[in-house]
Amino acid sequence: MSGFIETITYTLVDAADDGRIALAAISDDPSARDIPHALVFVRDADGAWSGCQLSNQLVGIYLSQPGEPFDAVGIGIDGGICRITGSEQTWGLMEEGPEGPNTLVPLITSRRIGGTVVAAGMQRRVYADGPSGWSRLDEGVRIASDDLAIGAFLSIDGTSPELLWAAGHGGELWHRNGSSWERVDSPSENKLVMVHQRHEGSILLADNTGRAFLGTAGNWRPITGVDSSAVIAIEEFLGRTYVAVRGGALSVLSQDELERVDECGSFPVYAMSACSGSLLAVGPLGLLELNADGWHEVSPPVPVGKV
């Protein structure tokens, strides 16, 4: 791998039921901060790791589905799509032409929803992957390229590409039902940085002032225990909702309160991914896993702080 990356932090993770893991990392070197890049590592079902370096900043890394002829796919902020097989890379674009994502109108977030990877970003653009490639899901909600209005989807979730929740600037909260979008009441006028649909159907929201809310459209109640820190990751595992806040430790949602997961200590979490047997969490200190034996550290393909 390139010599300019000497220390790394893991930032993204995806886990599969067969034991495969995909990780993305960035350089901690200040001289590399303005250089678009990512390190991607993929563990196969036998436990062997492979890795490569990408010349793009990623908003998502996802393992391949059965039958797909690659190991993982990385989603770049500019709409670049990189299919990774070992150390080999094949690049494409989510949408070609001036209406597609780019570094000035970037993608901001992505999530696997109902088995489909969905990505969203500036100008309320939304895309979904599918058998015939990427398609737009933002008719009726996208801001036109020549419109000076400021808007973006900073987080997206739901149960399928037809049933989505998207949140963003100015407290905007939108719901997609079928092929139509509708703006719904929001409990905050501040930037909504996270939206998450829980396993039993309620919606968890968080804004950039450190406030969080639980409920449904028009019926929101505050969540305590966020400690004035922005929520940066939420994941469901075995019927429990795990929440990571910026600069803080991992918590679990209990009724209307976040309770710290003491077993994780002060391990900061940037991203999480759940599969049938475990929950994986990554951050600047490495990789944690929760399974039937409890929480434990997992040896990453490259120790934190060294490539």
Side-chain angles (χ1 to χ4, degrees):
M1 294 186 181
S2 173
F4 86 85
I5 295 180
E6 296 181 354
T7 60
I8 66 171
T9 290
Y10 291 102
T11 57
L12 298 170
V13 60
D14 189 36
D17 293 344
D18 60 6
R20 292 177 298 141
I21 299 173
L23 299 173
I26 59 173
S27 171
D28 296 326
D29 186 344
S31 65
R33 288 175 182 169
D34 296 327
I35 301 174
H37 72 276
L39 293 172
V40 173
F41 303 94
V42 179
R43 190 181 77 178
D44 64 23
D46 296 322
W49 289 97
S50 60
C52 62
Q53 181 178 317
L54 310 184
S55 57
N56 204 338
Q57 182 179 341
L58 298 184
V59 298
I61 182 72
Y62 298 97
L63 291 160
S64 61
Q65 298 296 294
E68 292 181 328
F70 52 89
D71 298 332
V73 59
I75 302 175
I77 63 170
D78 60 357
I81 303 298
C82 183
R83 289 177 170 83
I84 302 161
T85 304
S87 60
E88 300 296 321
Q89 307 171 25
T90 302
W91 284 91
L93 289 175
M94 186 173 288
E95 180 182 8
E96 297 185 5
E99 294 300 314
N102 54 65
T103 54
L104 296 179
V105 188
L107 296 173
I108 298 173
T109 185
S110 68
R111 188 170 181 86
R112 194 190 300 275
I113 299 174
T116 299
V117 176
V118 178
M122 293 297 295
Q123 295 182 338
R124 297 200 295 260
R125 299 181 179 190
V126 184
Y127 299 87
D129 197 9
S132 58
W134 290 86
S135 59
R136 285 176 48 177
L137 301 182
D138 49 25
E139 183 177 356
V141 72
R142 175 187 282 219
I143 299 173
S145 298
D146 58 356
D147 193 328
L148 298 181
I150 297 175
F153 284 151
L154 307 179
S155 180
I156 196 163
D157 200 13
T159 56
S160 73
E162 291 73 37
L163 295 169
L164 296 172
W165 293 88
H169 288 175
E172 286 193 9
L173 180 63
W174 293 78
H175 184 225
R176 187 176 198 254
N177 189 347
S179 60
S180 62
W181 288 89
E182 178 185 10
R183 186 170 177 177
V184 298
D185 292 336
S186 168
S188 174
E189 296 180 354
N190 297 300
K191 184 186 298 183
L192 290 175
V193 296
M194 188 65 59
V195 59
H196 174 78
Q197 184 163 357
R198 301 181 69 212
H199 59 279
E200 70 350 327
S202 64
I203 305 301
L204 180 59
L205 295 173
D207 69 19
N208 65 333
T209 69
R211 297 187 301 163
F213 308 88
L214 183 65
T216 57
N219 183 23
W220 303 101
R221 57 188 187 274
I223 297 298
T224 60
V226 186
D227 296 331
S228 299
S229 299
V231 173
I232 59 174
I234 306 175
E235 188 63 276
E236 300 283 326
F237 182 62
L238 297 181
R240 307 188 79 187
T241 304
Y242 290 85
V243 178
V245 299
R246 190 176 306 280
L250 192 64
S251 298
V252 65
L253 183 62
S254 177
Q255 296 184 338
D256 294 346
E257 182 177 5
L258 288 180
E259 298 179 350
R260 179 168 171 165
V261 180
D262 292 331
E263 298 92 329
C264 296
S266 58
F267 188 99
V269 173
Y270 288 171
M272 294 179 283
S273 178
C275 54
S276 61
S278 64
L279 172 68
L280 289 171
V282 296
L285 301 182
L287 179 62
L288 285 180
E289 180 180 21
L290 172 63
N291 56 24
D293 297 322
W295 286 97
H296 60 276
E297 292 190 37
V298 176
S299 297
V302 175
V304 174
K306 181 178 290 186
V307 171

